[in-house]
């Protein structure tokens, strides 16, 4: 016979399989005595062991990633060139620090034109026309057309404002658009009421025309606000503290218009500057391209800089839907970072994202967030600190018990198997040299060992290998 003693240390995390679920168990100060028996059939090897006490852990393995404290990607608000570059690649910067300025003549020109259109509207130069040259039906038709156009333009302005990467500039642009929308809606309602009165022969046509002109001016003001937001964003500032990663040099054409200005300016009757209506998109991120330098051309939406704040690290893990209900805040985890061979890292679950993520194959996972609790290298010294974005295997210890009755997982006949009961798990117990099946109740189910809460006593002998070959009453020595 040979004695197998399971170590008391916790095994390191394993790389997850396609479906990220596994369980692990560790026995403590327990030895199973395993014997090879043959009962007349040399091909049927039966192994036995004594029921012992030990520690069992149930672990859920999931693919993970190291995350920074914060990150921010800043993109060009308009097409132009890098006028000044105040930072270098890899430099540490503080929130609010100026990183670069963009020279965009088309954006400045768009602002000037928007301001000119707004000045004309204030003087009545771009109003809805003289009431003496307009009939009530024409006024009503113009009001309906203005309403349709305004809704389209404000929606486009809001969507475009969200493309401004600087959170402060984006918030200012969105606030300006929303304020203009609210003002327009109030004036539009007033104008509609006046138009209804005119059509009923009860209102004054001049008053209705003036109200419509005021509503239309709201659009020129929105164009000014959007154009100004883009010009302000040409001075690129760091929204967070962190390390700079400059975007790739290159790019070119692209829309230089601010949020919604294309549509708003078109509605005012102004002609757009050459190149202002071109498509955007980041064309400067080709692999191997040099980083941005002063004088480099940029297109609207191209990446200028990425900021990474790695002062505090955390972890995320994508846990399968079949396992996520066992994961709760406070659960400890063992972490293996792929880039740091042999190191053991630790984490603690802080939250479980309730939003499901569906993979291309239909698999459903949930994002589990963990604190980063440091790590130890193979030599026992502190492990190297991983970098944000590094991939990892996160082994979540969802259940753990100590000093319990346990048997090897191989001893369990699962419910519904050839020899197992349909309603419960069971084992082959060897009594007087003969095998008899006995139902058991399992607690924590580990990969190597399982906890038995009912059905077995410490010191009893069970079949641990070859369980599929055992029959009731079979002689096992």
């Amino acid at each position: 016979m040979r004695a197998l003693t399971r170590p008391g240390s916790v095994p390191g995390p394993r790389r997850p399989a396609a479906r990220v679920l596994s369980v692990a168990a560790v026995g403590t100060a327990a030895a199973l005595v395993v014997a090879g028996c043959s009962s007349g059939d040399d091909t049927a090897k039966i192994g036995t062991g004594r029921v012992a006490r030990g520690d069992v852990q149930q672990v859920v393995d999931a693919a993970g990633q190291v995350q920074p404290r914060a990150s921010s990607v800043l993109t060009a608000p308009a097409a132009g060139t890098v006028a000044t570059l105040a930072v270098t690649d890899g430099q540490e910067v503080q929130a609010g620090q100026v990183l670069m300025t963009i020279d965009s003549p088309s954006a400045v020109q768009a602002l000037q034109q928007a301001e000119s259109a707004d000045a004309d509207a204030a003087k009545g130069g771009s109003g809805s026309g003289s009431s003496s040259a307009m009939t009530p039906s024409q006024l009503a038709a113009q009001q309906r057309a203005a309403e349709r156009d305004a809704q389209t333009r404000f929606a486009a302005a809001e969507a475009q404002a969200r493309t401004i990467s600087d959170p402060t500039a984006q918030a200012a642009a969105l606030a300006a658009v929303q304020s203009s929308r609210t003002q327009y809606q109030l004036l539009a309602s007033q104008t509609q009421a006046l138009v209804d009165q005119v059509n009923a022969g009860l209102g004054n046509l001049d008053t209705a025309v003036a109200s419509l002109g005021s509503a239309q001016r709201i659009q020129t003001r929105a164009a000014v606000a959007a154009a100004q937001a883009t010009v302000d964003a040409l001075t690129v500032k760091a929204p967070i503290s962190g390390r700079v990663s400059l975007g790739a040099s290159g790019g070119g054409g692209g829309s230089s218009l601010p949020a919604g200005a294309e549509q708003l300016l078109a509605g005012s009757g102004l002609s757009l500057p050459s190149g202002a209506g071109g498509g955007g998109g980041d064309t400067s991120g080709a692999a191997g391209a040099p980083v941005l330098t002063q004088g480099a051309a940029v297109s609207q939406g191209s990446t200028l800089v990425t900021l990474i704040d790695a002062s505090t690290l955390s972890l995320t893990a994508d846990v399968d839907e079949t396992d996520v209900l066992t994961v709760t805040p406070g659960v400890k985890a063992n972490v293996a970072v792929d880039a740091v061979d042999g190191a053991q890292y630790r984490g603690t679950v802080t939250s479980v994202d309730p939003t499901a993520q569906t993979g291309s194959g239909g698999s459903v996972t949930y994002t589990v967030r963990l604190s980063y609790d440091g790590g130890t290298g193979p030599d026992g010294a502190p492990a190297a600190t991983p970098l944000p974005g590094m991939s990892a295997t996160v082994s979540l210890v969802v259940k753990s018990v100590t000093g319990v009755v346990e048997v090897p997982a191989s001893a369990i006949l699962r419910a519904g198997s050839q020899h197992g009961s349909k309603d419960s798990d069971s084992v082959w117990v060897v009594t007087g040299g003969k095998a008899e099946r006995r139902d058991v109740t399992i607690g924590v189910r580990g990969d190597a060992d399982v906890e038995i809460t009912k059905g077995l006593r410490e010191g009893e002998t069970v079949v641990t290998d070859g369980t599929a070959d055992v029959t009731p009453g079979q002689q096992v020595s």
Side-chain angles (χ1 to χ4, degrees):
M1 294 191 297
R2 55 190 179 91
L4 301 181
T5 303
R6 293 180 297 281
S9 59
V10 177
R14 299 174 301 285
R15 296 296 185 270
R19 178 179 177 282
V20 195
L21 168 67
S22 69
V23 286
V26 183
T28 59
L32 287 180
V33 181
V34 179
C37 308
S38 65
S39 297
D41 184 356
D42 291 337
T43 64
K45 298 297 183 181
I46 307 300
T48 61
R50 288 190 297 273
V51 178
R53 288 189 176 273
D55 302 342
V56 183
Q57 291 182 341
Q58 181 177 332
V59 175
V60 172
D61 283 352
Q65 190 173 51
V66 180
Q67 301 290 348
R69 179 175 182 269
S71 63
S72 181
V73 178
L74 303 181
T75 57
T81 57
V82 178
T84 61
L85 185 60
V87 294
T88 58
D89 200 43
Q91 179 178 333
E92 290 283 348
V93 298
Q94 300 300 312
Q97 183 174 336
V98 174
L99 307 179
M100 67 184 73
T101 60
I102 306 297
D103 180 19
S104 178
S106 60
V108 174
Q109 183 181 8
L111 174 59
Q112 293 171 344
Q113 290 184 333
E115 291 173 335
S116 177
D118 184 58
D120 287 344
K123 295 183 293 185
S126 59
S128 58
S130 171
S131 61
S132 62
M134 184 179 299
T135 66
S137 61
Q138 289 174 329
L139 177 61
Q142 185 166 342
Q143 164 65 8
R144 290 192 297 270
E147 177 65 22
R148 290 192 301 270
D149 292 344
Q151 296 308 318
T152 300
R153 291 165 185 164
F154 283 124
E158 183 175 298
Q160 190 64 26
R162 296 186 184 280
T163 66
I164 298 178
S165 57
D166 187 311
T168 303
Q170 183 189 100
L174 287 172
V177 172
Q178 183 57 46
S179 176
S180 296
R181 185 198 291 271
T182 301
Q183 294 177 50
Y184 176 83
Q185 289 171 342
L186 292 172
L187 282 174
S189 297
Q190 175 183 320
T191 301
Q192 184 61 57
L194 292 172
V195 170
D196 292 341
Q197 292 178 11
V198 169
N199 288 333
L202 302 174
N204 185 285
L205 186 59
D206 288 339
T207 303
V209 170
S211 180
L212 180 58
S214 296
Q216 289 179 326
R217 192 191 171 200
I218 295 296
Q219 298 179 30
T220 64
R221 288 175 175 172
V224 171
Q228 185 64 60
T230 293
V231 170
D232 292 343
L234 295 176
T235 299
V236 182
K237 298 180 180 180
I240 62 172
S241 300
R243 188 179 297 275
V244 169
S245 175
L246 291 174
S249 180
S255 174
S256 63
L257 294 181
E262 224 175 283
Q263 296 86 352
L264 294 172
L265 289 175
S268 68
L270 295 174
S271 60
L272 299 177
S274 174
D282 186 354
T283 60
S284 61
V291 297
L292 278 179
T293 57
Q294 186 169 323
V298 294
S299 59
Q300 183 190 31
S302 62
T303 298
L304 299 175
V305 62
T306 300
L307 291 172
I308 302 293
D309 178 1
S311 59
T312 302
L313 296 177
S314 60
L315 299 156
T316 56
D318 296 326
V319 178
D320 191 271
E321 62 179 328
T322 59
D323 306 319
V324 72
L325 294 180
T326 65
V327 181
T328 57
V331 164
K332 301 295 183 180
N334 300 310
V335 181
V337 176
D338 294 352
V340 190
D341 191 32
Q344 294 275 338
Y345 295 92
R346 300 173 299 278
T348 304
V349 174
T350 57
S351 66
V352 179
D353 193 334
T355 304
Q357 306 293 328
T358 303
S360 57
S363 61
V364 177
T365 60
Y366 291 82
T367 299
V368 173
R369 305 184 187 282
L370 306 95
S371 63
Y372 168 76
D373 301 336
T376 305
D379 57 356
T385 301
L387 297 177
M390 285 185 171
S391 56
T393 299
V394 179
S395 297
L396 300 150
V397 184
V398 296
K399 292 181 182 179
S400 180
V401 290
T402 60
V404 297
V405 174
E406 60 160 349
V407 297
S410 59
I412 302 299
L413 297 166
R414 298 300 302 270
S417 66
Q418 180 180 359
H419 296 293
S421 167
K422 292 183 179 180
D423 299 322
S424 64
D425 297 307
S426 59
V427 297
W428 290 114
V429 180
V430 180
T431 304
K434 294 184 178 181
E436 62 177 38
R437 197 195 71 218
R438 185 186 301 173
D439 290 342
V440 295
T441 301
I442 293 177
V444 176
R445 190 185 296 270
D447 185 36
D449 300 88
V450 295
E451 176 194 10
I452 303 298
T453 61
K454 183 179 180 181
L456 286 178
R457 298 185 305 276
E458 184 178 359
E460 288 189 289
T461 300
V462 295
V463 175
T464 58
D465 296 294
T467 54
D469 301 317
V470 178
T471 58
Q474 179 177 335
Q475 187 70 34
V476 178
S477 58

